[in-house]
Amino acid sequence: MGYKITDKCIGCGSCAAQCPMGAITEGTPYIIDHEKCIGCGSCAAQCPMQAIINED
Ligand code: SF4
C-alpha cells in the first residue's frame, strides 16, 4: 500500500510541496495518489507531525 497520511495531519502542506511526483492532494488530511507515488519517502521525512506512515 505504501505511504499513507493519517489523521495526525494538520494540513500544513509541507508534504505536497516536497513531493517530486506531485502525488499529494490538499485536503484534511492530505491524500497521496498511489498511482503517482514512487515511494521515495520525501513526504514522510518532511512532515512536522509524523503523520505519514509507510504501510509496507
Ligand atoms: Fe511523493 Fe515520495 Fe511521498 Fe510518494 S513517497 S507521495 S512520491 S514524496
Side-chain angles (χ1 to χ4, degrees), residues 7-56:
D7 59 9
K8 286 185 184 174
C9 172
I10 57 170
C12 71
S14 294
C15 55
Q18 197 71 17
C19 180
M21 301 304 292
I24 305 181
T25 304
E26 190 174 340
T28 309
Y30 274 54
I31 296 170
I32 296 174
D33 180 344
H34 290 106
E35 306 234 320
K36 293 181 182 171
C37 176
I38 57 171
C40 69
S42 296
C43 51
Q46 188 71 18
C47 180
M49 299 302 292
Q50 286 85 49
I52 306 180
I53 59 171
N54 188 342
E55 294 191 317
D56 285 347

